[in-house]
Amino acid sequence: MTGVAAEVRAAIDAAADPEVAAALGRYFQVRPGGYGEGDVFAGVQLSRLRELVAPWRRVPFAAEDWLPLLTSPVHEHRLAALVVMAERAGRSGDAELDRICRCYLDHTAYVDNWDLVDVSAAKVLGRWLLDRDRTPLYDLTGSGSLWERRIAVVATHQLIRHGQTEDTYRLAVRLIGDREDLIHKAVGWMLREAGKHVDPAELLGFLDAYAADLPRTTLRYAIEHLPREVRRAYLAR
């Protein structure tokens, strides 16, 4: 283990709180049959974790420093690595961004809960794809892993921020039959963002075509910012 990984792990262990760990375990469903089954929490909230890793957000990313944490069985270790990767991706040049994202794509098996996905997918993968071929999104969407599918959807948030919505809508169609509620929520969230921040008419056109087929949760998320009477009309479908 490198000095960076050892220092970050020691800082997390020092800040760990068993009561917080128990609460986080319940919230992220580590129980048998839960979506986070088997995960291990040290007991550090995200806000505190961001404070702990702040010194390393200014240090260029080296995979050997962060892989021991990214592949750790402890949730907060993985989260710490992903927070730093996301922060570095937002301020790095092309070469460093490429290193970060290739490391990310090689280790998506460890990005295995919704908070880990949501803190990293748009800032790392989404930023990397802004001027690149979008094939990785469609590869991930076809994965048997709930978390890889969610990575693909949430990554488009960065594209939406740059006025690019085509992939959001295409992924939404591909995932209409998905059985996972956490995918339904992510798709609806991105549809809502596309309509709110880019083109409301484009969202309405999509809903006119697909509202009757969308999972109920997806539809409810997608229409949150529409006028009340419009929401009622789409829900009635």
Side-chain angles (χ1 to χ4, degrees):
M1 185 186 301
T2 68
V4 170
E7 288 184 45
V8 174
R9 182 172 291 185
I12 292 172
D13 291 347
D17 183 329
E19 292 187 3
V20 172
L24 290 172
R26 290 190 296 271
Y27 185 66
F28 288 103
Q29 298 191 21
V30 301
R31 67 180 185 275
Y35 56 72
E37 181 177 359
D39 206 352
V40 177
F41 282 85
V44 182
Q45 297 277 10
L46 177 58
S47 57
R48 177 60 177 144
L49 194 67
R50 289 188 184 277
E51 295 174 359
L52 296 177
V53 301
W56 289 278
R57 292 184 295 188
R58 296 184 291 273
V59 179
F61 176 81
E64 60 269 22
D65 288 337
W66 296 99
L67 278 176
L69 294 166
L70 183 58
T71 59
S72 169
V74 178
H75 188 97
E76 289 91 341
H77 294 171
R78 303 196 302 281
L79 183 56
L82 292 166
V83 165
V84 171
M85 291 169 74
E87 291 288 337
R88 288 303 310 170
R91 65 180 70 189
S92 63
D94 289 345
E96 184 179 355
L97 177 60
D98 193 63
R99 291 199 306 273
I100 294 169
C101 197
R102 293 191 185 281
C103 179
Y104 187 82
L105 288 172
D106 285 344
H107 297 88
T108 51
Y110 299 94
V111 188
D112 57 354
N113 211 313
W114 62 261
D115 64 321
L116 303 178
V117 173
D118 294 2
V119 82
S120 62
K123 291 183 177 180
V124 176
L125 180 57
R127 182 168 184 266
W128 189 69
L129 290 175
L130 278 173
D131 300 309
R132 288 178 170 83
D133 177 75
R134 306 291 164 76
T135 298
L137 294 179
Y138 298 91
D139 291 341
L140 290 167
T141 303
S143 170
S145 164
L146 154 65
W147 307 118
E148 290 187 338
R149 300 197 303 279
R150 187 173 174 105
I151 287 170
V153 176
V154 175
T156 70
H157 203 184
Q158 186 70 251
L159 308 182
I160 292 167
R161 290 170 180 165
H162 287 77
Q164 302 174 25
T165 58
E166 178 182 356
D167 293 292
T168 298
Y169 289 110
R170 290 180 66 187
L171 294 183
V173 173
R174 287 191 174 213
L175 292 166
I176 281 176
D178 201 287
R179 296 184 178 184
E180 295 287 351
D181 187 60
L182 285 167
I183 299 298
H184 301 168
K185 291 177 179 177
V187 171
W189 171 24
M190 291 304 111
L191 291 174
R192 181 189 70 208
E193 294 299 293
K196 180 180 178 182
H197 297 293
V198 181
D199 187 349
E202 187 178 35
L203 174 60
L204 293 175
F206 177 86
L207 293 173
D208 287 343
Y210 294 105
D213 301 316
L214 291 174
R216 192 74 164 178
T217 299
T218 297
L219 181 58
R220 286 189 177 277
Y221 272 59
I223 64 177
E224 277 183 348
H225 290 287
L226 298 180
R228 184 176 183 182
E229 61 275 13
V230 177
R231 296 199 307 269
R232 285 179 171 177
Y234 281 120
L235 288 170
R237 297 190 184 190

